[in-house]
Amino acid sequence: MTSSFRVVFIAVLALAGPAATAQPGEPDPFAIFSPQPFQAQAEEQALPDRPAALHLDAAAYNEHRAPQTRDALVTRWQVEQFDLEGNRLGSAARDLVLGDRYVHDRDDGAGKVYDFATGRILTFSENGVLNRPIAGHVHRQMDTYNRFTAGGTRDEIAGPGGAVFERFWIESAMGVRINPAILEPRQLDSGRMEAPRTPDGPPIFSWMPSETGTPEQIDLLRRWMRHTLPIHQDVLDPFAQAAHLPQSFEFLVFSPSSPDGRRERWTLQDSIPVARDFPWTSEAQAPAAAYSASAEPLTRMLETGIAAAAVPEDAPSEGDFLRFAQYFAQGGDLPGRYLSLVQASHHFGACTPSESVSEICRMTSGSLASGLGNQEFERLSAAVNGGLGNAETMLDTLTPYRSRGDHAGAAANLLSAQAYAVRGNRYDVQALEAFARAAELDPHAPLTYWHAGRFAASRGDIETAWLLFDIAQSLRAATADTALRDAAALEQRLRAVSPDFFAPDADG
């Protein structure tokens, strides 16, 4: 693996600076969340598609993934487990529907849908349908691999009860590896394919071809196996050239639940071509609380963001912010005017030197000029423009404004949240509360959710981070373009390490 790929495994998540302030110090060169500045003049660059995010209901989700066919193959598998001496440990049936760019795993009732067309994992639960991005799952797998293997530097990993596992088995469980595994593939006279690790060793994985299915369906099965079965990434490579589903496949597992090893055998019992609609038809969306965020303020943010993304027409316009600023100016509220214009930058981007200066930027410049000589205002503007280099000063300065119930209060809370984050883990509670307060005061500001997501990821809540990224990309403001480009860049880094978690290409 190249050095550029390797840095993903030793990443330390960096928190980006606010749109209106400077990033303290130099960005971490190993961070997969390296800061990306807002590009106000990047309209000529094609934007990635908006995600089929968690605010969509069934109808909107199906519209997002159109066009689609009703062609599907319903398969039933017999799954058997054996110890290494051949004693049977258990047996169960497993139903998989291989549809139009999705796999519906009906292991537990309605089960899960791995939708490679949209890059989503849908989980049917008693609370409704949970809609998560595949990228979040892959990021979690990489994070877990990184922690267990110290960025791929440990050859052996200690497990519970004193068990020690070779890194190969952690790579199998996580679907992530740094260097290609050494395998000795062979074909038996019976036609069965085997992949041992040594010429005379037992097969890690073996499979018997069949005449069932299509190349597209075997590709879907392989990508589903990457998500759900502890089979090493390189062992599944032969499936990429297969034309049909396997009649059976078998693999070896060493894990904390099977420290002495076990074999698992899957045998195709039945396969029926059908015409079937996409599985999510009319079931309700799951509420924000069902996503089990790591902290209550994050759940509040999800709830607020889901509601905002569903009504893009409610987002404030540039004209709205200009009227807010004029109102504050007429009342002599210079800090309110200035902070409301800072909040406008969280919607429309920071002001940059250009030939075409927006009315927002002109008014921002005017507010700075008109505040000269006002001690309170000068202290505020100096703290904000000074950035996060002196987070304590910023927090002290912003304290009187965080209780405001307007866009100025939203700006004060978002800037404070980032300042708390810079000060370290002991301020996590305050940071989370400030992020949530900023979202509640201005639900349509993409950068609030984007920065909160980066914060959540840096504190280990990767799943919630990607849901917040969902919201940031789904809102109808100019800075959502920043989130779209950055999220696409992050996904590309994840794809570069383990492409089989995703659709064959970026277009699905």
Side-chain angles (χ1 to χ4, degrees):
M1 175 166 288
T2 66
S3 59
S4 62
F5 289 171
R6 180 179 173 81
V7 299
V8 176
F9 295 104
I10 56 177
V12 178
L13 305 182
L15 183 67
T21 63
Q23 175 79 3
E26 292 299 319
D28 184 341
F30 297 116
I32 68 170
F33 292 119
S34 55
Q36 300 283 337
F38 175 74
Q39 300 294 329
Q41 302 299 322
E43 289 82 358
E44 69 278 2
Q45 179 183 345
L47 280 171
D49 291 335
R50 296 182 187 274
L54 70 166
H55 69 285
L56 300 180
D57 61 15
Y61 186 93
N62 277 279
E63 182 178 351
H64 189 100
R65 78 184 309 275
Q68 56 186 300
T69 73
R70 302 183 71 235
D71 297 337
L73 184 70
V74 178
T75 64
R76 166 156 288 200
W77 301 82
Q78 185 70 19
V79 183
E80 302 168 282
Q81 295 183 347
F82 304 87
D83 64 23
L84 297 191
E85 295 180 353
N87 299 307
R88 189 168 175 171
L89 303 175
S91 177
R94 191 78 169 261
D95 292 339
L96 301 176
V97 179
L98 309 176
D100 177 12
R101 299 165 292 163
Y102 71 85
V103 177
H104 186 186
D105 182 354
R106 305 194 62 174
D107 179 37
D108 182 16
K112 285 186 179 181
V113 175
Y114 295 81
D115 189 355
F116 298 102
T118 59
R120 312 295 296 187
I121 300 174
L122 306 178
T123 304
F124 294 85
S125 73
E126 60 183 11
N127 295 316
V129 179
L130 294 155
N131 176 1
R132 297 185 175 96
I134 283 178
H137 168 68
V138 180
H139 184 178
R140 168 59 69 194
Q141 297 295 92
M142 289 188 177
D143 180 74
T144 303
Y145 174 86
N146 183 49
R147 286 187 289 107
F148 273 109
T149 68
T153 61
R154 294 176 185 154
D155 293 327
E156 293 184 337
I157 294 90
V164 177
F165 301 95
E166 188 183 354
R167 190 177 69 214
F168 178 90
W169 301 111
I170 301 298
E171 293 176 340
S172 299
M174 295 297 103
V176 177
R177 57 100 167 113
I178 287 184
N179 297 308
I182 298 175
L183 301 169
E184 300 287 344
R186 62 195 177 209
Q187 183 172 8
L188 306 184
D189 292 341
S190 64
R192 190 168 193 84
M193 307 292 296
E194 293 187 344
R197 298 182 67 191
T198 61
D200 299 324
I204 301 298
F205 179 77
S206 63
W207 59 291
M208 176 66 77
S210 77
E211 298 298 322
T212 300
T214 65
E216 292 76 19
Q217 288 163 347
I218 182 62
D219 184 70
L220 282 171
L221 178 65
R222 180 171 63 92
R223 295 176 192 279
W224 172 84
M225 291 166 72
R226 165 59 51 244
H227 279 273
T228 57
L229 301 181
I231 304 174
H232 197 278
Q233 176 175 327
D234 296 323
V235 169
L236 286 177
D237 280 352
F239 270 13
Q241 286 77 45
H244 304 289
L245 300 179
Q247 182 57 50
S248 65
F249 62 89
E250 186 173 315
F251 56 93
L252 182 62
V253 180
F254 284 93
S255 69
S257 62
S258 299
D260 297 323
R262 76 172 191 270
R263 286 196 174 275
E264 192 162 301
R265 179 187 302 153
W266 287 57
T267 305
L268 184 61
Q269 300 288 304
D270 206 357
S271 60
I272 305 171
V274 297
R276 177 166 294 187
D277 292 327
F278 186 74
W280 190 11
T281 54
S282 59
E283 296 85 353
Q285 305 155 255
Y291 287 93
S292 302
S294 59
E296 186 271 343
L298 291 173
T299 299
R300 282 161 44 204
M301 286 198 78
L302 292 178
E303 186 172 7
T304 300
I306 289 169
V311 286
E313 63 275 10
D314 288 352
S317 67
E318 292 190 44
D320 292 329
F321 277 102
L322 292 171
R323 285 189 290 274
F324 299 150
Q326 187 65 34
Y327 170 80
F328 292 133
Q330 290 172 350
D333 184 0
L334 298 181
R337 180 191 190 192
Y338 174 65
L339 285 173
S340 67
L341 292 169
V342 169
Q343 186 63 13
S345 75
H346 300 151
H347 287 255
F348 310 111
C351 295
T352 57
S354 65
E355 294 180 3
S356 177
V357 179
S358 70
E359 285 298 318
I360 291 284
C361 292
R362 272 194 283 269
M363 186 169 282
T364 301
S365 297
S367 72
L368 290 169
S370 63
L372 292 176
N374 182 302
Q375 188 174 1
E376 178 188 7
F377 177 82
E378 287 186 350
R379 182 168 180 262
L380 172 63
S381 61
V384 172
N385 288 324
L388 298 177
N390 193 335
E392 186 173 359
T393 297
M394 178 178 282
L395 286 168
D396 289 343
T397 305
L398 290 171
T399 295
Y401 311 108
R402 291 203 293 269
S403 59
R404 295 180 65 126
D406 52 21
H407 285 102
N413 277 279
L414 179 52
L415 296 174
S416 296
Q418 295 174 285
Y420 279 127
V422 167
R423 297 195 70 186
N425 293 4
R426 67 188 183 278
Y427 293 98
D428 282 1
V429 172
Q430 293 93 325
L432 288 168
E433 282 294 340
F435 274 125
R437 175 72 173 158
E440 288 161 351
L441 291 172
D442 184 1
H444 292 273
L447 292 187
T448 301
Y449 304 96
W450 183 250
H451 292 324
R454 293 159 82 94
F455 176 77
S458 74
R459 298 308 192 259
D461 191 352
I462 292 169
E463 291 78 8
T464 301
W466 280 90
L467 296 176
L468 291 167
F469 296 162
D470 264 5
I471 294 168
Q473 296 174 82
S474 301
L475 296 172
R476 303 294 174 171
T479 50
D481 295 355
T482 302
L484 282 165
R485 292 190 177 96
D486 283 6
L490 297 179
E491 183 175 313
Q492 281 304 116
R493 299 188 193 189
L494 298 172
R495 282 175 175 269
V497 178
S498 282
D500 287 351
F501 278 113
F502 301 90
D505 54 61
D507 298 325

